[in-house]
Amino acid sequence: MSAGGRIPNWADVTLVPLVSVVLAFILSGILIWAIGESPWAAVKLMVEGAFGSSYGWGYTLYYATNFIFTGLAVAVAFQARLFNIGGEGQALLGGLGVALVCLYIPWPHWSLALLAACAGAAAFGALWALIPGYLQARRGSHIVITTIMFNFIAASLLGYVLVNVLRPQGSQDPSSPRFAAEVALPKLHEMLALVGIPFSRVPPVNISLLIAVGMCFAVWFLLWRTRLGYQIRAFGESEPAAEYAGISPARITIYVMLISGALAGLMAVNSVMGEQQRLVLNAVEGAGFIGIAVALMGRNHPFGVFLAAILFGFLYQGGAELALWTSIPRELIVVIQALVILFTGALDNMVRIPIARLFALRGAR
Amino acid sequence: MSQTQTPQMRQDTAASDIPAIELRGICKAFGPVQANKNISIRVRRGTIHGIVGENGAGKSTLMSILYGFYRADAGEILINGRPTDIPDSLSAIRAGIGMVFQHFKLVENFTVLENVILGAEGSALLRPSLAKARGLLKDLAREFELNVDPDALIENLSVGHQQRVEILKALYREADILILDEPTGVLTPSEADHLFRILRGLKEQGKTIILITHKLREIMDVTDDVSVMRRGEMVATRVTAQTSPTELAELMVGRKVLLRVEKTPATPGDDVLRVQSLRLVDGQGVERLRGLDFTLRAGEILGIAGVAGNGQSELLEVLAGLRPATGQAWLRGAVLPLSGPGADAQTRRAQAVAHVPEDRHRRGLVLNFHAWENTALGYHNDPAYNPTPWKMDNDAIIRDTSAKMAAFDVRPPDPQLKASGFSGGNQQKIVLAREIEHAPDVLLVGQPTRGVDIGAIEFIHQRLIRLRDAGAAILLVSVELDEIMALSDRIVVMFDGRIMGERLPEKTNAQELGLLMAGMA
């Protein structure tokens, strides 16, 4: 019985984020106008660049795939009220897992390699999240602090491994050798060609997209259809009640961090195995942090994460087009993204309360 | 509404006076919920005016409007006959209104004096106001038995003394009208008596006092007039001397209620739970339980009486497997571990020890969960809910919840409604249905009717008796002495982590138990 009243569930998950995004775009438009460019032209360019061609769609979906994985990672952890900021580091380690699997085992076929790479990515990501999880569960070290620190440790560790272990002799590039051609993942255009749909060959979007979509369903099933998911949500909503129910907070914390880390790690299958075909220094490119925004905007629900990931994929791809064809600096794209995050995350109540009032008015009539 | 009646004014001089407070047609809505509907009330100057009503009847909302926390949607407030606008609590204080909240608003590590002047320091330097407050405190202590050590830290004071500090704060701000919200909930009977002596003294000095309570005995003891609220409406105002607890209870609930619980004498069976020299030291190194010994038998209700905070909560949590302790315990003759493996909540449930926790909002329910999800809380490993190792059978839980809701008359009987959407009584019924319907051998139950309306109290008491008659052993912890007296077959009184004594309800009375509760044996 808060003063704001209640919002129907559908409005909470669709209307509120939608209005927030629109507001963010309006403000971005004003910014673009203020630096002397036409907001309409910018919007047109972004939408056309991201959705106007199969080329644009391909890149949008490629980015979205990354964001689905990292977004799910944050969302799962947040269901237990654990703020996993370490998606970046966990994805980096996931990349290492993928690289080791692809480099040192001769795979006869990509499908087997994909399964093994998924296992490797998930295992390495999970392991990297396990340590902060354990420290939180048993030592009370705050997960936000430890996961942030583990991002730096992961970056340093990866730098060391790439320079000293994986770098081919004589190469001056701190990256692993290219993977064998057998472990190249089928791209979306190859898959669509099977059903006779033409699609651009350029963008790196690949079969990992399907894994990402599958993970959305898997996470939804885990959270709302299994006993473990029930315990995770109970623990997240109320720790004293979970204790009362005999749910061990330490065990749930560790399980959740394992799952979250595994999901973040899986991102590397898309970027390392699907696109770069080798492990490079900055394989994650900030997708771990974008995952936080994606989860925030997706209301920590797997289907919300899916939609938010598409939106951020659009911002990435459309933003790249904008930087390419106009004098709008690339930094402004970051500003637009930040505005979206600001409105959907931090200023949530600014939109929610007026909407709640509207519904209360309608209900009273 | 039209049922509102003005009290039959007594033929004394005060009757001709303008009322200290008059509310005219106050309305307040929160979204679709009408918390106050057209409330009118006159509080005579120099009287103690009681306001009774069930939880959610709108008493607190009305007082919050009077104290400036909420603004009324419609209506008028007259203080001493003058229409007064009260947009915030500062205006309320200026109008001479002081409020003593149910949950004290004191700075724990400040002294009494510092708390009294807090927000009314008067000048940049503290010394003058401290001196003024010290003088005032001395006067008040002499006049009204309001004695508290001005230099004591709040955290070292008993609850009763802390409450006196709240009253002193209001008096320091020259309040003429004092509102007390459920002031006796945390007091021992003797502390409550002392409080009432203070209130009578203040009344004689011409102060006007509004006493909000749900305890009819207090209304009868101390008030001059009483107003009854029900579902946001003021249904009646009576002169206390001309009414009876039965009439007030009927007005509160809107129908006839049983104030006594009907039960047959217990037929206790074997010892089910035995506890010996149970000790618990908390995280701060304070000994909360100092060696408890007792036995709980099948088919009886053992009531644990005591003022809140004397170890009862800890006892429940230890027995429920929620915190480790030292000592020995036996369940049905077998050793019951009090710490380490086997001393956890899951194991206890598997051993047919059910627990209705004291704080249903914090522990007993996940407020953001649907009713059906709450029905599985603690029983989520139940094979009936888990036909396969992976998938939980949500439909089975929903069906089971519907059945339990029907059996316990939960309203609305909607398993998909979130727990936060039910009233206090119905939330408690959801918890009780979950714990009782698993047919436990032992039921640990804390404050079963706290924040529950009278209609539901009756129902909950009947269910506990029925469970007892079915042969379960029930350990009842309650700070409501009336409840302990009405339900228990044996009563144990706890004070400061110790058992002060055991009594039979038919051979004791509230005075004797009150002395034990205060540690005076």
Side-chain angles (χ1 to χ4, degrees), chain B residues 391-425:
Chain B
K391 194 171 176 296
M392 248 186 153
D393 191 346
N394 292 357
D395 294 333
I397 304 174
I398 292 169
R399 278 196 302 277
D400 189 37
T401 308
S402 290
K404 288 192 165 93
M405 287 177 132
F408 276 74
D409 190 29
V410 177
R411 288 178 227 175
D414 178 4
Q416 298 288 357
L417 193 64
K418 283 191 176 172
S420 53
F422 291 91
S423 72

Side-chain angles (χ1 to χ4, degrees), chain B residues 61-383:
Chain B
T61 306
L62 188 64
M63 289 307 121
S64 300
I65 289 172
L66 195 50
Y67 201 61
F69 281 170
Y70 297 136
R71 291 205 87 149
D73 301 334
E76 251 191 314
I77 302 173
L78 283 83
I79 308 288
N80 297 322
R82 215 172 300 119
T84 311
D85 185 35
I86 305 182
D88 50 38
S89 47
L90 206 64
S91 318
I93 292 168
R94 254 188 240 123
I97 300 174
M99 182 121 174
V100 175
F101 292 93
Q102 195 174 358
H103 304 284
F104 306 145
K105 307 206 180 297
L106 298 170
V107 183
E108 294 260 302
N109 52 357
F110 272 19
T111 65
V112 171
L113 267 186
E114 287 169 331
N115 267 287
V116 166
I117 63 162
L118 185 68
E121 296 89 352
S123 62
L125 293 176
L126 288 181
R127 192 183 279 266
S129 29
L130 280 174
K132 179 185 162 205
R134 190 181 293 277
L136 187 83
L137 252 52
K138 211 180 283 168
D139 294 347
L140 291 169
R142 207 176 41 237
E143 257 177 280
F144 305 114
E145 296 184 66
L146 264 168
N147 32 341
V148 224
D149 173 9
D151 299 311
L153 288 180
I154 295 298
E155 58 193 4
N156 298 332
L157 292 182
S158 72
V159 184
H161 279 81
Q162 291 187 14
Q163 190 172 52
R164 284 181 213 169
V165 179
E166 285 283 10
I167 297 174
L168 287 170
K169 268 169 68 180
L171 295 178
Y172 183 75
R173 285 158 182 72
E174 293 169 356
D176 259 340
I177 301 158
L178 208 56
I179 306 169
L180 293 102
D181 190 2
E182 301 278 358
T184 59
V186 289
L187 302 183
T188 63
S190 70
E191 281 177 321
D193 285 344
H194 191 135
L195 171 70
F196 292 149
R197 278 204 303 280
I198 295 172
L199 295 185
R200 286 196 196 97
L202 290 169
K203 178 178 93 171
E204 275 155 28
Q205 291 290 312
K207 306 272 185 204
T208 307
I209 293 159
I210 298 181
L211 179 69
I212 302 169
T213 181
H214 65 271
K215 292 182 188 167
L216 297 176
R217 199 160 29 95
E218 294 173 358
I219 291 288
M220 299 311 292
D221 275 0
V222 77
T223 63
D224 299 301
D225 302 313
V226 52
S227 297
V228 185
M229 289 189 74
R230 184 172 75 226
R231 293 190 191 151
E233 291 177 43
M234 191 64 81
V235 290
T237 298
R238 297 275 188 270
V239 173
T240 309
Q242 293 167 8
T243 184
S244 67
T246 327
E247 188 197 14
L248 292 177
E250 281 173 30
L251 286 167
M252 277 163 72
V253 186
R255 65 184 166 85
K256 290 212 179 292
V257 284
L258 287 169
L259 285 176
R260 294 256 124 228
V261 184
E262 292 194 28
K263 61 168 186 166
T264 53
T267 48
D270 301 335
D271 293 358
V272 179
L273 179 71
R274 198 149 74 79
V275 169
Q276 220 169 57
S277 54
L278 178 67
R279 280 171 201 283
L280 174 79
V281 179
D282 71 6
Q284 273 94 52
V286 179
E287 198 170 26
R288 293 289 175 186
L289 300 175
R290 304 167 187 258
L292 303 183
D293 306 284
F294 65 86
T295 305
L296 182 61
R297 294 171 298 179
E300 71 164 357
I301 298 180
L302 175 63
I304 309 261
V307 179
N310 277 289
Q312 307 97 306
S313 313
E314 288 81 359
L315 174 63
L316 277 182
E317 295 197 341
V318 165
L319 294 177
L322 289 169
R323 55 200 292 179
T326 58
Q328 284 108 47
W330 294 266
L331 180 67
R332 292 179 294 258
V335 170
L336 185 74
L338 292 174
S339 63
D344 59 279
Q346 269 304 314
T347 312
R348 288 288 200 281
R349 271 195 195 82
Q351 291 166 329
V353 178
H355 177 203
V356 175
E358 289 186 308
D359 189 342
R360 62 175 166 271
H361 286 171
R362 216 171 83 84
R363 276 219 194 272
L365 293 166
V366 178
L367 289 176
N368 248 339
F369 268 16
H370 303 286
W372 67 268
E373 289 173 305
N374 273 300
T375 294
L377 192 70
Y379 298 93
H380 50 275
N381 291 324
D382 197 316

